Amino acid sequence: MPQTSVPVDSFTEPYTRLGDDVSLEEVREKVRALEDEHRANGVPLSGRILHVCHYLPITLTLTKPSKSGGIGVISPPATPPSKHSEVPAEHPQQTAAPTQDKPQEPFSVPEQPSQSPAVAPSSLWTLSPRYGHAAMISGIRSLSATHEQLIIGWTGDILSSTPGENIPEEKISEEDRKDLGESLKGYQPKETGSADPDDEKEDKKTTYVPVWMPGKVAHEHYDGYCKQILWPLFHYLLWQDVATEYASADSHYPFYEAANAAFAKTICEVYRPGDLIWIHDYHLLLVPKMVREQIPEVILGLFVHTPFPSSEVFRCLPRRKEILDGMLGANLVCFQTYSYSRHFISTCIRVCGYEASSRGIDVEGHVTSVLHCPVGVDAERVARDLTRPGIKPKFDALRTLYEGKKIIVGRDKLDVVKGVLQKLRAFEKLLQDYPEWIGNVVMIQVTSPALSDSPKLERQVSELVAHINGEYGSLDFIPCHHYHQTLKKDEFYALLSVADLAVITPLRDGMNTTSMEFVIAQEKTKKSPSVLSEFMGISKHMEDALQVNPWNLGDVAAAMNRGLLMSESEKESRHANLHKVVTTHTSHSWAAVLVKMLLSQVGGVNTARRTPYILKELLQKKYMDAKKRLFLFDYDGTLAPIVKIPSMAVPSEETLLALKQLCEDPKNIVYIISGRDGEFLEQHLGHLKNMGFSAEHGGFVREPGHEEWMNFTEALDMSWMTEVHEIFRYYTERTTGSQIEVKKSSITWHYRSADPEWGLFQCRQCQDLLENNLANKRPIEVLVGKKNLEVRPIAVNKGEIVKRILYHNPDAEFIFCAGDDKTDEDMFRALNLFPSGVTKTTMEAPLSVTLIEPESKNAPPVDLAISPDAVFTTAVGHSSKRTLASWHVTTPQEVVEHMLEMVEVATQPGTPHSNL
C-alpha cells in the first residue's frame, strides 16, 4: 500500500528522522554534498539564506530627532522576553562583585567586560541586541559559518533617546532609513556581559534587512491578530476564552494581511535567484503564498515554532482557508514534532479538501512537503553562561536560605496556557497526600510578565499561593514563594542550579527552553530530575524526565514526590541521557538540518519544471496557418469547473458559444473526451451536431455528424465487473458517505462525501486488494482519481481515443488538447509524438482502430502532417502541476477565452485564411 510521509493510520511519534541524529559537522557535510550535487546538475544556488522573522534581533534607537521633525510619542510598555533563556543580562553596576573565596568549579570563569551598544559612525542610530527567541537567533547565526545570510524582520518600535518615548515609523525620513541601512551593514551582535566565541566564528557575511510598517499595522498585526487570535488557537484556546471583552476573530485580519504583504514585498526586493528562504513562525503564515505569487520558482520553507492544533480546533478560525493556503505556498512546512505535522496534514485534508500523498499536500499541482524538526537550545552558550561569577553568590544565598529543605523550582510566563494554577494546585496536593513534606520542601515559582497582561490570572495565582501558605505554613515556614518579575540571568541560572526538582507543566507548549537549560545547569551540581508536561513539543525529546498530564493533580503530586525521593544512581542515569540529548540536538544542529531539508526539495519532484503559460500569439498563428485542426477537450475541470455534485457541472453560455463557433468551421474537428457517460454528454452538448464525443474514458465514441455510439468494449472480456462491484460494495458498506457508479465500460467507487482521512485510508486498502488479487489476473487497470477509485479495461482510455482520432486525421496541422486530471495525462502521452530533434513522424494503427474495426486489423502506418510546435497539449491548473503537457492555463474559463479569441481572429474580414 502506498505510504504517505505522515500515515493517517499511525500514531507513532518519531522524534527525529534517521540521519538527523548525528553531529553538527556531519549534518554540515551533508549540506555541502547536496549543494555540490545541485551545482553539478546545473541548479543555481546563490549560497545565501534569507531568514524572515517577526522582529530583527536588534533594538533600534534614533539618537537625535528625525530629520522629518517628528516628535516622539509615549511608547507602549516594552515586550518582556518571550523565552525563558532570553533574560537580559545584568547591567554592569548591578552585577554582584566576585567573591573573595575561590569559586567552585561551575562558576570559575572570570567575568568579562560588558559590551557597549553599537553606535553608527554618524551617531544617528544606536543598535543593541533585542532579547527574545534566543534559540532561533542562535541557530540562525550559527549558519554564518557556512552561508551568507540575510535576516529580515520588522524594526520594532523605534526608540527615542528620551527614555519612555518612541518615534512613529511614519516620522522616520527616507534619509534616516538609508542611514539605518548603512549602520546595519557593520553591525556585529555581542552578548552583553560575556565573551561569545561564536561572535568571532562568523565567517560569512550577515546582513540585517528592516521591514518598515506603519505603527498601527504593526501593532494590530502583533498585539491583535497574532496574540488575540492565532496564539490562543494554536494552544487549544479560542479567542473568546482569553478576551476581557467582546472579541471578533476577524477585526484584526486586514492588519495581519497588510503586515504579511510588507514582509513579502521586502523579501522580493532583496531576493536573488538561487536563494534559500526560511519563514519563521505564526506571525507570517501568509508570506509563503505571497512570495510564490511574485517569484514562482522560489525555494521557500516555513517553520512553525508553536504547537499546531487538531483540525477540529483549527476549523473554528474564520480565515482558516486563507491561513492554510498561505502556508501551503511553501515548498516545505516544518513543525517541532510529528504530532503537529500530523495535525496540519489532517487539517489540510479535512478543512480544505486537499489531497495528501507520499510527497506532501497537493494544491492544484503545487506540492508542499510536511516534516518535523525539533529546536534545541544553544548548549555551549548556556554552559558558558553558567560560569558567570555573578551566579555563585546567589547560588550560595539560596542554598543557605533553604538549608535542610528540598527546593522545587518553576519558572513560567504568567499565561493561561503555562498551567501555573494547575501546578500550584498539584503542589498543594503533594502537601495533602504526602504530609511528611510539610516543613521539608519549598516551592519557588517565578512568573514573568506575559505578552498580554492577565490581571485576573495574576490575582488567582496570588490568592492560591496565599491559601497554600495559610493552610500549610507557619510563623517560621513558608512553603510556597511566588515572584512575579523578570529574572536577571544570574538569578535565573542560580535558581536552576540549586533546585532539587524542576516542575515545568504547561497545558500546551511548543518548545520550552527552561527544561533543557535546567539539564545543563544541573550537570555540575545535583543532577536533579524534572517533572515535565506531556503536552510540550519537547516531551518526546525528554523521555527520561518524569512526564505527567498537568490536569491530573494526583499524578503530578506523585511525580513530585518520586522526584524528591529519587536515588542518586537513578538521578545520574536519567540526567546522563537527558544531557546527551540536549547537547546533541542543539539550536545549531536544528538550523543545519533545516538547510539540509530545504536543499532536499531543490530539483526534486516537489520542484518539478514549471509548465509555461500558453503563448496566445503562437497559438493563434498556428491556428490561422493550419488547413485542418483537431480540438480535444476533457469536460470536468477543463470546460466546466469541478463541483461537489457531478450533475451540477453544466456548461456555461460562453462555453457553448465557443464550442458552437469552433464546430461551424469546416477546418475544425472537435471532440469532447470525458469520463462522463454518453447520456450526460448528449443532454448538455448533443445539440452540437458537428461535435464528436468519447464517453467513459474512451469506452464509447460518437463520431462528428453521427447519431450512433460505437461500443469499444464489445470485443473485450467484461466479466470482471461483477467481481469489482462486489469488492466496491464491501468498502461502501464500511465507508459512510461513499457510493458506487457503474458505467457500461467501467466501475468507480466515490468517497468525496466520506470522512476524508477514513475515505483515503479505505481507498488505499481497496486499491491494494484490487491490484494484488484481481488486476494481475484480468485485463484491467486500477486508477486513483480525485476522491475516487476507478477500474476499467486496460485497452480503453483517453489516450487510445486520441490516437484513433489522429490516425484517422493524419493531415491535421494543428492540435489543441486540454485536460486537468490524471486520466488526461493519457491524452498528453499519446500526443508526445516527437523525440528530441525529430520534426516528422509516422503512426502505427492503434488498438482503438484494430480492435474495433476488423477490416483495419492490418491497417498500415500513416505519415502525420503535424509539426512539433503545432501540438498544444495544455494542462488546466497551477504551473507547478506535474504533467506531460507542454503548456498550462489556470482555470476552465481561460480555456474558453482562448477558444473564443481564436475564432474571433479567424473570422475577422481580411484576415488571411479567413473563412468569410
Side-chain angles (χ1 to χ4, degrees):
M1 190 176 84
Q3 295 295 313
T4 60
S5 54
V6 182
V8 294
D9 57 325
S10 173
F11 288 84
T12 57
E13 185 170 353
Y15 191 70
T16 56
R17 289 156 310 286
L18 186 65
D20 290 349
D21 53 347
V22 295
S23 72
L24 176 60
E25 192 48 49
E26 287 178 281
V27 177
R28 287 178 173 173
E29 187 56 43
K30 290 181 180 180
V31 168
R32 286 190 286 270
L34 277 170
E35 290 177 327
D36 291 343
E37 179 184 339
H38 290 321
R39 290 190 175 105
N41 292 331
V43 177
L45 290 176
S46 67
R48 302 198 316 170
I49 303 174
L50 278 57
H51 293 278
V52 189
C53 318
H54 175 226
Y55 282 109
L56 285 177
I58 305 170
T59 298
L60 306 176
T61 303
L62 192 58
T63 55
K64 67 176 184 178
S66 175
K67 292 178 173 59
S68 62
I71 300 174
V73 298
I74 298 299
S75 171
T79 301
S82 60
K83 291 265 193 293
H84 301 300
S85 65
E86 294 139 15
V87 187
E90 295 183 58
H91 199 272
Q93 56 262 42
Q94 295 174 318
T95 304
T99 177
Q100 297 301 312
D101 299 326
K102 184 177 180 180
Q104 297 181 3
E105 185 185 353
F107 315 105
S108 59
V109 174
E111 184 170 14
Q112 302 293 331
S114 298
Q115 301 288 335
S116 301
V119 181
S122 64
S123 297
L124 183 62
W125 293 94
T126 299
L127 314 178
S128 56
R130 181 188 301 277
Y131 297 99
H133 305 285
M136 178 183 76
I137 297 301
S138 165
I140 290 173
R141 288 182 57 198
S142 71
L143 294 175
S144 296
T146 56
H147 293 80
E148 181 182 345
Q149 299 203 99
L150 275 73
I151 300 178
I152 302 170
W154 177 44
T155 60
D157 289 323
I158 305 295
L159 303 181
S160 166
S161 53
T162 304
E165 294 186 1
N166 69 3
I167 302 172
E169 183 265 356
E170 302 91 313
K171 302 293 185 181
I172 307 296
S173 69
E174 282 300 320
E175 186 179 345
D176 289 348
R177 295 185 189 194
K178 289 178 182 177
D179 285 343
L180 175 61
E182 292 299 316
S183 301
L184 288 171
K185 286 181 181 178
Y187 176 72
Q188 280 294 327
K190 300 288 183 183
E191 177 70 13
T192 306
S194 66
D196 183 0
D198 287 343
D199 293 335
E200 311 303 326
K201 287 180 187 175
E202 296 187 7
D203 302 322
K204 306 285 184 178
K205 181 182 177 184
T206 299
T207 304
Y208 297 88
V209 180
V211 176
W212 296 94
M213 290 186 286
K216 183 173 178 60
V217 170
H219 286 283
E220 291 286 337
H221 160 250
Y222 181 66
D223 301 324
Y225 203 75
C226 289
K227 286 303 169 188
Q228 294 181 32
I229 307 299
L230 292 181
W231 173 265
L233 183 78
F234 284 9
H235 291 81
Y236 288 77
L237 295 171
L238 298 184
W239 38 96
Q240 70 266 20
D241 297 332
V242 296
T244 55
E245 54 190 38
Y246 170 74
S248 165
D250 249 6
S251 60
H252 302 290
Y253 182 78
F255 299 100
Y256 185 82
E257 190 174 36
N260 276 248
F263 276 87
K265 179 175 179 289
T266 303
I267 293 169
C268 293
E269 288 172 351
V270 301
Y271 174 81
R272 295 179 193 166
D275 283 349
L276 302 179
I277 301 178
W278 269 107
I279 311 291
H280 290 274
D281 224 359
Y282 67 101
H283 316 88
L284 306 172
L285 299 181
L286 302 180
V287 170
K289 183 181 179 184
M290 290 176 170
V291 172
R292 187 162 302 283
E293 287 172 346
Q294 299 299 314
I295 313 171
E297 70 281 1
V298 70
I299 302 298
L300 185 149
L302 169 67
F303 192 91
V304 182
H305 293 257
T306 62
F308 195 88
S310 74
S311 61
E312 291 305 300
V313 173
F314 190 88
R315 72 188 314 143
C316 297
L317 185 67
R319 298 287 182 163
R320 60 196 188 183
K321 189 172 188 306
E322 289 91 334
I323 295 294
L324 290 174
D325 283 345
M327 298 173 72
L328 291 169
N331 298 91
L332 169 66
V333 178
C334 197
F335 296 89
Q336 295 267 12
T337 72
Y338 168 80
S339 289
Y340 302 159
S341 63
R342 181 167 56 83
H343 289 164
F344 176 71
I345 289 175
S346 177
T347 301
C348 291
I349 294 170
R350 291 178 172 277
V351 174
C352 293
Y354 296 142
E355 294 189 2
S357 70
S358 58
R359 296 159 51 228
I361 305 295
D362 190 326
V363 184
E364 298 180 353
H366 172 75
V367 178
T368 300
S369 291
V370 183
L371 296 171
H372 69 281
C373 179
V375 184
V377 293
D378 186 346
E380 292 182 5
R381 181 186 291 267
V382 173
R384 285 196 303 272
D385 284 342
L386 284 162
T387 64
R388 294 160 59 100
I391 298 174
K392 174 68 168 60
K394 295 176 175 60
F395 175 90
D396 290 340
L398 286 168
R399 190 167 56 182
T400 302
L401 183 61
Y402 300 109
E403 189 174 2
K405 297 179 177 61
K406 295 283 189 179
I407 302 172
I408 299 175
V409 165
R411 182 178 181 275
D412 309 89
K413 289 178 193 168
L414 192 61
D415 190 314
V416 65
V417 302
K418 299 302 181 181
V420 177
L421 279 175
Q422 288 76 6
K423 183 196 301 186
L424 292 172
R425 291 186 181 121
F427 178 66
E428 181 183 15
K429 183 74 171 169
L430 172 73
L431 301 179
Q432 285 177 353
D433 293 354
Y434 307 93
E436 63 271 20
W437 286 115
I438 298 175
N440 294 311
V441 67
V442 295
M443 181 168 192
I444 303 174
Q445 175 63 51
V446 179
T447 56
S448 58
L451 296 168
S452 54
D453 290 335
S454 178
K456 178 182 176 182
L457 181 59
E458 187 175 350
R459 186 181 69 252
Q460 288 175 323
V461 169
S462 298
E463 289 174 353
L464 183 53
V465 169
H467 164 75
I468 294 171
N469 290 335
E471 189 73 21
Y472 300 98
S474 61
L475 289 176
D476 59 349
F477 171 67
I478 300 174
C480 189
H481 301 257
H482 173 229
Y483 302 96
H484 183 54
Q485 63 187 69
T486 299
L487 286 183
K488 299 181 179 70
K489 186 171 283 190
D490 288 353
E491 295 171 330
F492 173 59
Y493 285 128
L495 194 61
L496 294 187
S497 300
V498 80
D500 294 288
L501 181 70
V503 180
I504 305 163
T505 52
L507 308 180
R508 191 73 58 174
D509 209 352
M511 185 198 74
N512 186 296
T513 58
T514 302
S515 58
M516 291 183 271
E517 291 167 320
F518 175 76
V519 172
I520 300 171
Q522 288 289 323
E523 171 67 7
K524 294 184 178 179
T525 54
K526 302 179 179 181
K527 296 181 171 52
S528 299
S530 53
V531 176
L532 303 183
S533 166
E534 65 186 47
F535 298 125
M536 295 193 300
I538 59 166
S539 58
K540 288 291 178 181
H541 195 25
M542 311 283 282
E543 290 181 335
D544 282 279
L546 302 174
Q547 298 197 13
V548 295
N549 176 354
W551 296 98
N552 189 329
L553 304 184
D555 277 5
V556 179
M560 289 182 184
N561 180 62
R562 180 183 172 188
L564 293 170
L565 296 176
M566 188 176 290
S567 68
E568 292 300 321
S569 60
E570 185 178 357
K571 284 182 186 180
E572 289 180 6
S573 172
R574 287 175 176 269
H575 174 82
N577 293 335
L578 288 171
H579 190 265
K580 180 181 179 182
V581 169
V582 168
T583 54
T584 301
H585 298 290
T586 66
S587 58
H588 292 196
S589 62
W590 162 77
V593 169
L594 287 192
V595 176
K596 177 171 77 77
M597 290 195 302
L598 196 53
L599 282 169
S600 298
Q601 304 297 313
V602 177
V605 293
N606 292 9
T607 55
R609 69 174 183 91
R610 308 190 74 82
T611 309
Y613 193 85
I614 195 164
L615 296 176
K616 189 182 301 183
E617 295 78 10
L618 178 63
L619 180 69
Q620 292 177 355
K621 180 181 185 304
K622 292 297 180 181
Y623 177 85
M624 295 299 302
D625 291 344
K627 297 183 180 67
K628 189 173 186 179
R629 314 165 184 129
L630 295 183
F631 286 89
L632 312 169
F633 299 107
D634 172 46
Y635 182 75
D636 291 285
T638 302
L639 295 179
I642 296 288
V643 292
K644 196 157 192 175
I645 303 173
S647 60
M648 300 298 291
V650 298
S652 66
E653 291 184 9
E654 291 83 0
T655 302
L656 292 173
L657 175 62
L659 291 173
K660 177 176 178 292
Q661 292 182 349
L662 282 177
C663 291
E664 287 174 349
D665 190 331
K667 294 183 180 181
N668 296 341
I669 296 174
V670 184
Y671 272 85
I672 303 296
I673 303 176
S674 174
R676 296 278 191 166
D677 58 30
E679 183 180 349
F680 178 91
L681 296 176
E682 285 189 331
Q683 177 187 350
H684 295 289
L685 301 168
H687 62 284
L688 300 171
K689 300 303 180 185
N690 292 330
M691 180 178 290
F693 297 98
S694 170
E696 301 188 25
H697 297 295
F700 297 85
V701 171
R702 197 185 89 173
E703 303 282 358
H706 291 69
E707 297 291 334
E708 309 80 32
W709 288 85
M710 288 186 290
N711 184 350
F712 281 21
T713 64
E714 285 179 339
L716 303 175
D717 175 13
M718 301 296 289
S719 61
W720 53 266
M721 289 189 73
T722 304
E723 297 174 69
V724 173
H725 190 277
E726 189 63 27
I727 292 172
F728 279 173
R729 190 170 65 81
Y730 173 88
Y731 281 94
T732 302
E733 290 172 354
R734 289 158 177 78
T735 313
T736 304
S738 65
Q739 61 184 21
I740 303 171
E741 180 186 10
V742 180
K743 300 176 184 177
K744 293 176 183 177
S745 66
S746 65
I747 181 168
T748 306
W749 183 67
H750 296 274
Y751 62 93
R752 185 172 294 278
S753 299
D755 177 276
E757 290 182 286
W758 176 241
L760 179 61
F761 175 77
Q762 290 288 75
C763 176
R764 288 173 177 155
Q765 295 288 323
C766 185
Q767 178 189 2
D768 184 59
L769 179 62
L770 289 167
E771 289 178 342
N772 292 323
N773 294 284
L774 198 61
N776 56 352
K777 303 173 186 174
R778 296 288 204 152
I780 60 174
E781 59 182 340
V782 182
L783 302 174
V784 179
K786 293 179 180 177
K787 306 287 186 183
N788 66 61
L789 190 64
E790 181 178 13
V791 182
R792 69 186 186 190
I794 202 163
V796 175
N797 58 64
K798 291 184 176 184
E800 283 298 318
I801 296 304
V802 167
K803 290 178 185 177
R804 173 187 170 83
I805 296 168
L806 186 55
Y807 183 81
H808 285 313
N809 298 277
D811 53 340
E813 298 176 345
F814 172 92
I815 301 174
F816 182 83
C817 177
D820 75 306
D821 204 349
K822 295 175 184 175
T823 58
D824 300 317
E825 295 297 313
D826 291 333
M827 296 197 294
F828 303 149
R829 188 178 291 107
L831 291 173
N832 188 10
L833 302 165
F834 300 94
S836 179
V838 176
T839 57
K840 289 292 180 183
T841 188
T842 59
M843 184 178 190
E844 300 286 342
L847 287 174
S848 50
V849 171
T850 56
L851 281 178
I852 304 304
E853 303 170 12
E855 69 278 6
S856 302
K857 190 169 185 180
N858 296 314
V862 296
D863 292 325
L864 300 181
I866 193 78
S867 61
D869 58 353
V871 179
F872 293 87
T873 50
T874 307
V876 181
H878 197 278
S879 64
S880 63
K881 174 188 278 189
R882 297 180 74 196
T883 180
L884 296 171
S886 301
W887 305 95
H888 98 280
V889 294
T890 307
T891 65
Q893 179 61 31
E894 292 174 25
V895 177
V896 175
E897 289 171 357
H898 279 77
M899 286 193 291
L900 288 171
E901 288 173 2
M902 279 189 285
V903 173
E904 182 181 350
V905 169
T907 55
Q908 288 175 357
T911 302
H913 311 292
S914 170
N915 298 309
L916 297 182

